Amino acid sequence: MRRRTPLLATATTALLAAGVLAQPAAQRAEATPAAPTAPAAFVHPGVTVSRGQLDFVRTKVAAGAQPWKTAFDRMMSSKYADLNRTPKPRAVVECGSYSNPNLGCTDEREDAIAAYTQALAWYLTRDERYARKSIQLMDAWSAVIRDHTNSNAPLQTGWAGSSWAKAAEIVKHTYGGGWSGSGRFAGMLRDVYLPEIINGSHSNGNWELTMMEAAVGISVLLEDRASYDKAMAKFRTRTAAYVYLESDGALPRTVPGQNLDTRDKIVKYWQGQSTFVTGLTQETCRDLTHTGYGLSSISHIAETSRIQGQDLYGTDVGERLRHALGFQAKYEQGTAVPSWLCKGSLHLGLGPVTEVGYNALHNRLGHAMTHTRALTERTRPSGTNNLFVAWETLTHGDNPA
């Protein structure tokens, strides 16, 4: 043992000099697995939903099978499937905190959801009116919008951008009737949307996750490998810092640059929660609605990555998503909240966010997911949150493709 002491002292000195051992535990926990790289060739349509998944749904809807037929009917009866919808584009969309002011915020988000809804309607019915309507909505905005401003601009850009990318992927790659404005629309996403979101956010975790969802989707549409890789790297880091696993250690992981270098700072950032258990998220004690936004974006990005050839569900991303869905679903289903969790009170309202992750982790990988399954089946068919989540019982419910 005495012969080994100099070696240990030398190693310790080197680590101290490098700043490794001197760092607080929270900062040492930042490291995450290597980010996935963009595919050699992008798969289209390939943002959250694939051609194979769409074909599966189309067959089920045509056969009147459940839950897809009811989910389809609900989508088609919504305002977003209205062929008489009039787009309301603005050159500058100004969104303050909690959408105050709201100058084009709701119009933009809902026109983007409508474009995606119309694109789905086109694919599932082959009625060209829906493809042309989706194109009309996208063209109207790409002809006008130049900027997003005020405090919620990054989040607004992420919400709308994620829906625009899904709509454009389906129309561009499945509709043969022509889209002369597709280049201008791509330019809009490249010049107006991507710069606002690609560098991420140090705000609450659902912000950056939503922003990276849009950045990944836009990168697939543009076939922009560099932006795809950058967004995926930020996504992996943020996901690890958003959902706690016991294997993370005494404290949750953090995002570099946030200066969360003490326990007190981390507890404050986690909405005052000081007891950390597997499946807890950074925003659980804020409310389950915002938590649902974050979990939805995690599932959407993981699904896009799977379609593009790199399945993250078998990594820590899937493990965090599985436990987080189950943890929130348990309380959403009515389990009593213990006193150590969020001071014994939760604000419920997870939203229609479980289908994508549940399908991947339960149906594909075989995890039981008892609480998530009960919540998913109770709330079918899931609709839309009118922000960026829409029709996921239809697109992903028990979908093997």
Side-chain angles (χ1 to χ4, degrees), residues 9 12 101 147 156 187 238 246 281 368 383 392:
T12 302
D147 199 9
Q156 172 73 18
R238 175 61 76 168
E246 185 179 355
T281 81
E392 293 183 351

Side-chain angles (χ1 to χ4, degrees), residues 34-37 39 53 228 232 235-236 298-319 321 356-357 359-361 363-365 367 400-401:
T37 56
Q53 289 170 316
Y228 184 94
M232 277 292 186
F235 162 69
R236 292 295 295 271
I298 292 172
S299 66
H300 292 169
I301 297 173
E303 192 72 359
T304 296
S305 179
R306 183 189 71 86
I307 294 167
Q308 297 304 325
Q310 187 153 14
D311 196 336
L312 296 179
Y313 290 116
T315 71
D316 76 298
V317 170
E319 190 73 356
L321 178 60
V356 177
N359 184 55
L361 295 162
N363 292 328
R364 292 198 194 106
L365 296 186
H367 295 294

Side-chain angles (χ1 to χ4, degrees), residues 309-393:
Q310 187 153 14
D311 196 336
L312 296 179
Y313 290 116
T315 71
D316 76 298
V317 170
E319 190 73 356
R320 292 177 195 278
L321 178 60
R322 176 169 70 91
H323 286 293
L325 285 172
F327 188 87
Q328 320 313 307
K330 176 172 64 175
Y331 296 108
E332 189 75 19
Q333 284 285 90
T335 296
V337 181
S339 60
W340 59 262
L341 176 61
C342 308
K343 299 179 181 179
S345 177
L346 282 174
H347 298 286
L348 303 179
L350 190 61
V353 303
T354 63
E355 288 280 14
V356 177
Y358 173 72
N359 184 55
L361 295 162
H362 173 75
N363 292 328
R364 292 198 194 106
L365 296 186
H367 295 294
M369 301 184 73
T370 305
H371 297 296
T372 307
R373 177 176 184 174
L375 179 62
T376 300
E377 293 179 348
R378 177 173 68 83
T379 55
R380 281 179 173 173
S382 64
T384 175
N385 68 357
N386 301 307
L387 297 173
F388 71 109
V389 180
W391 322 124
E392 293 183 351
T393 297

Side-chain angles (χ1 to χ4, degrees), residues 62-83:
Q66 299 298 350
W68 306 277
K69 181 60 168 62
T70 299
F72 173 77
D73 291 343
R74 181 174 182 184
M75 181 184 79
M76 296 303 291
S77 65
S78 75
K79 63 182 179 180
Y80 299 112
D82 184 359
L83 286 168

Side-chain angles (χ1 to χ4, degrees), residues 108-279:
E108 180 188 30
R109 293 193 306 264
E110 294 194 350
D111 276 350
I113 291 174
Y116 175 54
T117 302
Q118 301 277 349
L120 287 173
W122 140 250
Y123 196 94
L124 298 179
T125 67
R126 291 301 196 270
D127 185 334
E128 292 193 19
R129 294 178 300 165
Y130 294 110
R132 292 194 293 268
K133 190 65 181 183
S134 184
I135 288 170
Q136 181 198 13
L137 292 162
M138 291 188 283
D139 283 352
W141 279 88
S142 68
V144 173
I145 190 167
R146 296 294 177 266
D147 199 9
H148 297 86
T149 63
N150 215 316
S151 59
N152 266 25
L155 182 60
Q156 172 73 18
T157 306
W159 279 339
S162 63
S163 296
W164 288 133
K166 288 187 288 187
E169 272 287 292
I170 293 172
V171 171
K172 181 178 179 180
H173 296 286
T174 70
Y175 177 58
W179 180 14
S180 61
S182 64
R184 187 180 70 192
F185 186 81
M188 175 193 80
L189 294 181
R190 180 183 297 108
D191 300 334
V192 178
Y193 287 76
L194 197 55
E196 185 71 41
I197 56 180
I198 191 62
N199 292 317
S201 168
H202 284 159
S203 186
N204 280 309
N206 79 85
W207 275 52
E208 186 161 79
L209 289 166
T210 296
M211 292 162 68
M212 290 311 103
E213 177 187 345
V216 166
I218 290 169
S219 297
V220 171
L221 180 70
L222 300 179
E223 298 196 335
D224 183 337
R225 294 174 57 83
S227 292
Y228 184 94
D229 287 346
K230 183 174 183 178
M232 277 292 186
K234 287 186 176 296
F235 162 69
R236 292 295 295 271
T237 300
R238 175 61 76 168
T239 298
Y242 194 70
V243 180
Y244 176 81
L245 294 179
E246 185 179 355
S247 58
D248 293 334
L251 295 171
R253 295 190 183 190
T254 61
V255 174
Q258 285 189 292
N259 193 34
L260 297 176
D261 53 2
T262 68
R263 178 181 177 83
D264 287 346
K265 289 180 181 179
I266 290 174
V267 168
K268 181 178 179 181
Y269 187 64
W270 280 62
Q271 316 295 323
Q273 178 68 16
S274 58
T275 300
F276 301 103
V277 298
T278 291

